[in-house]
Amino acid sequence: MSENKIPYKIYLEESEMPKAWYNVRADMKNKPAPLLNPGTLQPMTAQELGAVFCDELVQQELDTENAYIPIPQEILDFYKMYRPSPLVRAYCLEEKLQTPAKIYYKFEGNNTSGSHKLNSAIAQAYYAKNQGLKGVTTETGAGQWGTALSMACAYLGLDCKVYMVKCSYEQKPFRREVMRTYGASVTPSPSMTTEVGRKILEQHPGTTGSLGCAISEAVEAATSTPGYRYVLGSVLNQVLLHQSIIGMESKAAMDKYGIVPDVIIGCAGGGSNLGGLISPFMGEMLRGERNYRFIAVEPASCPSLTRGKFVYDFCDTGMVTPLAKMYTLGSNFIPSASHAGGLRYHGMSPVVSQLYHDGYIEATSVEQTSVFAAAEQFARVEGILPAPESSHAIKVAIDEALKCKETGEEKTILFGLTGTGYFDMYAYEKFNNGDMGDYIPTDEDIMAGLKGIPQFPGNEI
Amino acid sequence: MSENKIPYKIYLEESEMPKAWYNVRADMKNKPAPLLNPGTLQPMTAQELGAVFCDELVQQELDTENAYIPIPQEILDFYKMYRPSPLVRAYCLEEKLQTPAKIYYKFEGNNTSGSHKLNSAIAQAYYAKNQGLKGVTTETGAGQWGTALSMACAYLGLDCKVYMVKCSYEQKPFRREVMRTYGASVTPSPSMTTEVGRKILEQHPGTTGSLGCAISEAVEAATSTPGYRYVLGSVLNQVLLHQSIIGMESKAAMDKYGIVPDVIIGCAGGGSNLGGLISPFMGEMLRGERNYRFIAVEPASCPSLTRGKFVYDFCDTGMVTPLAKMYTLGSNFIPSASHAGGLRYHGMSPVVSQLYHDGYIEATSVEQTSVFAAAEQFARVEGILPAPESSHAIKVAIDEALKCKETGEEKTILFGLTGTGYFDMYAYEKFNNGDMGDYIPTDEDIMAGLKGIPQFPGNEI
């Protein structure tokens, strides 16, 4: 089909929708390293993981062989409610930039949870239900993941207990109320409902909580309540597997119109969106079929790929989880509270980390005022108010398009637009008022974080 | 095509998109009555209207003859960014209700403004730009219309001055910041920037404003600033014309799959969504080609169709606008402040009013706690968090579907889902906490409002 027939938005027909997730680990020569039990430093067994996660999800977490995992019909049915997500040709942005580049974005914000998180939330909730469980627990900071999980659980009639960092619970009441509207119980963390919560409150009566503490409470609530398991919204291999739906739809839509991207760009916090978006394209590259440039964009305030170390570290600041081999800034690295967006995670998905380590992915970091400027520019012409997280990818897509303007190259750029910024208006207000700054950790800040990484033979930083 | 092949979401191809708006007035035997100059009680001339509105929009306002008005290419291009909006088969809601009814909804919330308002905002901004104007002014309460207009003006490079009711400006900072992100200037009303604003502030120094006052300021700002005109988001004939895109897309999508709705339901505040949704179906009925049931749903707290009078009245509480013949509760009728949703307008589109008066439309009113209960039920299965306004239509669609369950009839129901409730979480919070009440005006309240209607021969209440 000729280039000039490409519509603004490409939607797949229901019959063209992917019926399986793609597991990029099957095509990786260097597999991501296994999770380790922090006590024994031995790989976590399925049985150990099964105390915390659903059985089927444990299998997916450990599966490095099967390239395609069929999507259960019930999940396909749920996906139909909000998928396919549109693949949009950014004609208006191209015109505004006066670039010869062709820019596409895959927009995942067209569902009530407002982000791509729902793709994995429904899968994790489904397997929990299928195992006959009563409910799931999780933690949430700003609330995108908690919102997505609440929606999925409401749909399946599953209990959903969300531990929400207390300061977010109080300062961000809107996402809290979305979760409650979907029937979730939302508890400000630390709380009196868990042993670890009571202990923390005793030691620090006035604390407003942290993500690490909320994770600890959610894990305790899951493992101490019969019929419950814990679920997580990023980082894990299973989450990247579910998020491959983003890339598979993108690839199917592009294939339909004979479009081949030169550059694929995603924002990277824990890596779920980036990993999902690039998966099927990366598979082609790993199998030697085609070459692409992949760019991971992280905030300069929390630069795990560009300034972290590729070692084993805890997944949480409370150090109760298994150890994962990943690019990390240290589990007690705390990015500046003044950073407005998400992407504040200290580590990075082991799959993304391994691919970056092996040279398949580039990484770059950007400062938040430039990110909000890109977000505003994008919003005014493309009509979508992007989430700050997503806007990291917008910023670099615009930069790449402007390079094409200089060189005259007609490159095709694909980026992931993970969600909407409706609940981030305080940050936009700061930017609108000129009150937003940039916060780049010093080398001393980085070193202080890295020192918290567990030291054992072979894991020296 | 057989019934079981109908997808969850029906999207039109770009080639199937409507290229003209449909002007239902052309097929009405009893045309809506003309606007009157309140001083002379004579029909407003194009010249008089041209002092306030753009020339092309004046023509559209007065045009009762042409059934189809071509949509300019620039507006079609803008529509492509977020249209076609999906026509969704509510399979999950049907299953939840265990109804034999087939429920469809046309979802207009898939754009950053979060509602259908953008359909007319871009048209009004385009004609202003095309006339060589520098900018437009408007008022906004909760901010949906202001947001949509800001987006449209940003896209066209047009100045946008929004007068926002002061209490909303202070209590709803998020929509204000969306508007500012799109480059609009947002002024809390009453303000010192207009004569009428200064006068009101002198008389009532502590006032938090009203929509009527904001309209007066916006009109003054438009007529006293060279190169500016005033624009409005509902009620006017031109707005219903632009909103006909909703109904035309719905009809084209349904025709494509051989679906014929039995009942078409829309929420009704000023009438822009309802009028737009029903237009092409109503045209068929007016031409005697097919019969439909149309239901306008209004809040019990502001029941203009079900408890108002069909007479000439001012469009604003400040009584500076022309007189429109419509169902009205009186321009100084103030619905309870405790009502959470929009739809708080005292009057109703003259087109919708005339069609209702002539028996083509039914009307019903619903109480807000039942509306929020329906909204929550819908959100949990359909995955969209609906705006309170839209949820009035959901409530009656569910009621109709439950009637089908009793009778066993397999009726096809279409309703308009005008927008999302992301900025209405305070209201949801009230509902979630059990703190929401119902507020139905007494007969005395209604009479007090009606007494404010201007009295002249032929306009007795």
Side-chain angles (χ1 to χ4, degrees):
Chain A
M1 201 172 286
S2 79
E3 187 75 37
N4 58 19
K5 284 201 180 162
I6 293 170
Y8 269 70
K9 289 188 286 185
I10 306 178
Y11 283 107
L12 297 173
E13 304 285 327
E14 269 184 36
S15 59
E16 298 166 328
M17 290 277 290
K19 300 285 186 297
W21 293 301
Y22 168 64
N23 179 11
V24 72
R25 288 167 287 167
D27 285 310
M28 290 169 70
K29 272 179 214 119
N30 299 326
K31 308 291 183 193
L35 296 170
L36 296 187
N37 179 319
T40 64
L41 297 183
Q42 294 301 306
M44 292 286 288
T45 62
Q47 199 182 353
E48 286 173 319
L49 289 170
V52 179
F53 301 112
C54 311
D55 298 343
E56 189 71 27
L57 291 169
V58 169
Q59 293 310 313
Q60 293 182 358
E61 191 63 28
L62 297 174
D63 186 343
T64 58
E65 300 305 323
N66 294 297
Y68 292 95
I69 313 283
I71 307 174
Q73 187 59 46
E74 291 84 346
I75 299 177
L76 287 175
D77 286 344
F78 187 88
Y79 278 170
K80 280 183 200 164
M81 286 202 298
Y82 70 101
R83 307 203 68 84
S85 71
L87 178 71
V88 185
R89 171 76 181 265
Y91 283 114
C92 299
L93 181 62
E94 291 171 20
E95 165 128 4
K96 182 81 180 172
L97 300 174
Q98 290 285 301
T99 175
K102 298 174 186 72
I103 308 174
Y104 294 85
Y105 55 91
K106 180 72 167 167
F107 179 44
E108 293 290 319
N110 261 359
N111 68 71
T112 287
S113 82
S115 81
H116 68 293
K117 295 285 185 190
L118 193 56
N119 301 327
S120 184
I122 185 62
Q124 297 192 48
Y126 166 76
Y127 290 118
K129 179 83 180 178
N130 213 31
Q131 192 174 323
L133 296 175
K134 189 159 178 288
V136 290
T137 71
T138 200
E139 76 291 333
T140 203
Q144 275 189 336
W145 166 247
T147 305
L149 189 67
S150 304
M151 279 184 65
C153 288
Y155 180 78
L156 293 170
L158 204 63
D159 268 14
C160 181
K161 290 184 197 295
V162 180
Y163 286 88
M164 188 170 190
V165 178
K166 190 181 273 175
C167 66
S168 293
Y169 183 92
E170 284 162 3
Q171 290 171 10
K172 300 190 172 183
F174 287 177
R175 279 209 184 272
R176 179 189 79 209
E177 291 308 320
V178 177
M179 291 186 263
R180 291 180 70 206
T181 299
Y182 282 105
S185 80
V186 187
T187 306
S189 168
S191 74
M192 296 299 281
T193 67
T194 65
E195 202 170 307
V196 64
R198 288 188 291 272
K199 204 165 156 187
I200 291 169
L201 282 172
E202 200 176 294
Q203 290 167 353
H204 311 278
T207 180
T208 56
S210 72
L211 205 54
C213 167
I215 293 178
S216 306
E217 287 205 88
V219 171
E220 182 186 323
T223 52
S224 66
T225 317
Y228 280 77
R229 290 293 184 283
Y230 168 72
V231 295
L232 184 63
S234 191
V235 183
L236 296 174
N237 299 333
Q238 60 188 266
V239 179
L240 264 75
L241 175 70
H242 306 146
Q243 295 297 356
S244 70
I245 189 78
I246 304 173
M248 296 186 75
E249 279 185 15
S250 301
K251 189 157 187 331
M254 293 189 125
D255 285 350
K256 187 172 169 180
Y257 286 88
I259 306 160
V260 181
D262 298 295
V263 193
I264 303 176
I265 301 166
C267 61
S272 72
N273 152 67
L274 176 75
L277 174 67
I278 67 176
S279 274
F281 301 98
M282 180 61 76
E284 282 187 306
M285 188 141 115
L286 292 169
R287 295 189 302 269
E289 296 163 9
R290 189 171 255 157
N291 279 322
Y292 300 98
R293 266 185 80 201
F294 300 103
I295 309 178
V297 188
E298 51 186 19
S301 63
C302 192
S304 55
L305 288 172
T306 50
R307 297 177 74 187
K309 295 287 179 190
F310 187 46
V311 289
Y312 269 106
D313 195 8
F314 287 97
C315 297
D316 66 320
T317 51
M319 301 191 184
V320 301
T321 65
L323 299 170
K325 187 161 184 192
M326 57 184 177
Y327 278 86
T328 177
L329 295 162
S331 64
N332 52 17
F333 175 84
I334 306 283
S336 160
S338 305
H339 191 268
L343 312 181
R344 295 164 53 92
Y345 189 63
H346 68 279
M348 179 60 63
S349 141
V351 169
V352 170
S353 292
Q354 187 67 50
L355 289 167
Y356 175 63
H357 188 69
D358 291 344
Y360 291 105
I361 302 178
E362 300 168 32
T364 186
S365 73
V366 290
E367 296 170 22
Q368 72 172 341
T369 52
S370 71
V371 166
F372 275 82
E376 186 181 274
Q377 189 175 16
F378 179 85
R380 290 186 182 184
V381 291
E382 288 291 319
I384 292 171
L385 188 81
E389 296 84 348
S390 324
S391 304
H392 286 70
I394 295 174
K395 161 68 180 150
V396 172
I398 290 176
D399 287 349
E400 289 292 320
L402 290 175
K403 280 184 209 162
C404 288
K405 187 178 176 177
E406 278 178 29
T407 62
E409 288 174 290
E410 293 187 17
K411 283 191 184 162
T412 297
I413 298 166
L414 167 64
F415 73 89
L417 189 67
T418 55
T420 50
Y422 297 113
F423 294 105
D424 299 289
M425 294 317 298
Y426 281 127
Y428 273 99
E429 181 176 9
K430 260 187 140 173
F431 177 74
N432 290 337
N433 290 339
D435 292 339
M436 180 176 278
D438 289 312
Y439 305 91
I440 305 174
T442 63
D443 287 344
E444 289 69 34
D445 295 335
I446 296 287
M447 271 314 297
L450 294 177
K451 277 186 187 148
I453 292 171
Q455 300 289 303
F456 55 85
N459 205 55
E460 293 81 9
I461 60 165
Chain B
M1 201 172 288
S2 81
E3 188 74 38
N4 59 17
K5 284 202 183 162
I6 292 170
Y8 268 69
K9 290 188 287 188
I10 306 178
Y11 282 107
L12 296 174
E13 303 286 326
E14 269 184 35
S15 59
E16 298 165 329
M17 289 276 291
K19 300 284 188 295
W21 293 301
Y22 169 63
N23 180 10
V24 72
R25 287 166 288 167
D27 285 310
M28 290 169 69
K29 271 179 216 122
N30 299 326
K31 309 290 183 193
L35 296 170
L36 296 187
N37 180 320
T40 64
L41 298 183
Q42 294 303 306
M44 292 287 288
T45 64
Q47 198 183 355
E48 286 173 319
L49 289 169
V52 179
F53 301 111
C54 309
D55 298 343
E56 189 70 29
L57 291 169
V58 169
Q59 293 310 314
Q60 293 181 358
E61 192 62 30
L62 298 173
D63 186 344
T64 57
E65 300 304 324
N66 294 296
Y68 291 94
I69 313 283
I71 306 174
Q73 187 59 45
E74 291 84 347
I75 299 176
L76 287 174
D77 286 345
F78 187 88
Y79 278 171
K80 280 182 199 164
M81 287 202 296
Y82 69 101
R83 309 205 66 85
S85 71
L87 178 72
V88 186
R89 172 75 183 265
Y91 284 114
C92 299
L93 181 61
E94 291 170 21
E95 165 128 6
K96 181 81 181 175
L97 299 175
Q98 290 285 304
T99 175
K102 298 175 186 71
I103 308 175
Y104 293 85
Y105 55 91
K106 180 72 168 168
F107 179 44
E108 293 289 319
N110 262 358
N111 69 71
T112 287
S113 82
S115 81
H116 68 294
K117 294 285 184 190
L118 193 56
N119 301 328
S120 185
I122 185 60
Q124 296 191 48
Y126 167 77
Y127 289 117
K129 178 84 179 175
N130 213 31
Q131 192 174 323
L133 297 175
K134 190 160 178 286
V136 291
T137 71
T138 200
E139 77 291 331
T140 202
Q144 275 189 335
W145 166 246
T147 305
L149 189 68
S150 304
M151 280 184 65
C153 288
Y155 179 77
L156 293 169
L158 205 62
D159 269 13
C160 181
K161 291 185 197 290
V162 180
Y163 287 87
M164 188 170 190
V165 178
K166 189 180 274 176
C167 67
S168 292
Y169 182 93
E170 284 161 3
Q171 291 171 10
K172 300 190 171 182
F174 287 177
R175 278 208 185 271
R176 179 189 79 209
E177 291 308 321
V178 177
M179 291 186 263
R180 291 181 69 206
T181 299
Y182 282 104
S185 80
V186 187
T187 307
S189 169
S191 74
M192 296 298 283
T193 67
T194 65
E195 201 169 311
V196 63
R198 288 187 292 272
K199 204 163 155 189
I200 290 168
L201 283 172
E202 200 176 297
Q203 290 166 354
H204 312 278
T207 181
T208 56
S210 72
L211 205 55
C213 167
I215 293 178
S216 306
E217 286 205 271
V219 171
E220 183 187 322
T223 52
S224 66
T225 318
Y228 280 77
R229 292 292 185 284
Y230 169 73
V231 295
L232 184 64
S234 190
V235 183
L236 296 173
N237 298 334
Q238 59 188 267
V239 179
L240 264 74
L241 176 70
H242 306 147
Q243 295 296 357
S244 70
I245 189 78
I246 304 172
M248 297 186 74
E249 279 185 15
S250 301
K251 188 153 190 328
M254 293 189 125
D255 285 349
K256 188 172 168 178
Y257 286 88
I259 307 159
V260 180
D262 297 295
V263 192
I264 303 175
I265 301 166
C267 62
S272 72
N273 152 69
L274 175 76
L277 173 67
I278 68 175
S279 274
F281 301 97
M282 179 61 77
E284 281 186 305
M285 189 142 115
L286 292 170
R287 295 189 301 271
E289 295 163 12
R290 189 172 253 156
N291 277 322
Y292 300 98
R293 264 185 81 201
F294 300 102
I295 309 179
V297 188
E298 53 185 18
S301 64
C302 192
S304 55
L305 288 172
T306 50
R307 297 177 73 189
K309 294 286 178 192
F310 187 46
V311 290
Y312 269 107
D313 195 8
F314 287 97
C315 297
D316 67 321
T317 51
M319 300 190 184
V320 300
T321 65
L323 299 171
K325 187 163 182 191
M326 57 185 178
Y327 278 87
T328 177
L329 295 162
S331 64
N332 52 16
F333 175 84
I334 305 282
S336 161
S338 306
H339 190 267
L343 311 181
R344 294 164 54 90
Y345 189 64
H346 69 279
M348 178 58 65
S349 140
V351 169
V352 170
S353 291
Q354 187 67 51
L355 289 168
Y356 175 63
H357 188 70
D358 292 343
Y360 291 105
I361 302 178
E362 301 168 31
T364 184
S365 74
V366 290
E367 295 170 25
Q368 72 171 342
T369 52
S370 71
V371 166
F372 274 82
E376 186 181 274
Q377 187 174 20
F378 179 84
R380 291 185 182 185
V381 291
E382 288 291 320
I384 291 170
L385 188 79
E389 296 83 349
S390 324
S391 304
H392 287 71
I394 294 175
K395 160 69 179 150
V396 172
I398 289 177
D399 287 349
E400 289 292 319
L402 291 176
K403 279 185 210 159
C404 288
K405 187 177 176 176
E406 277 178 30
T407 62
E409 288 174 289
E410 294 187 17
K411 283 191 183 162
T412 297
I413 298 168
L414 167 64
F415 72 89
L417 189 67
T418 55
T420 50
Y422 296 113
F423 294 105
D424 299 290
M425 293 318 297
Y426 282 127
Y428 274 99
E429 181 175 8
K430 261 186 137 171
F431 178 74
N432 290 337
N433 291 339
D435 293 338
M436 181 176 277
D438 288 313
Y439 306 90
I440 304 173
T442 63
D443 287 342
E444 289 70 32
D445 295 335
I446 296 287
M447 270 314 298
L450 295 176
K451 277 187 187 150
I453 291 169
Q455 300 289 302
F456 54 86
N459 205 54
E460 293 80 8
I461 61 165

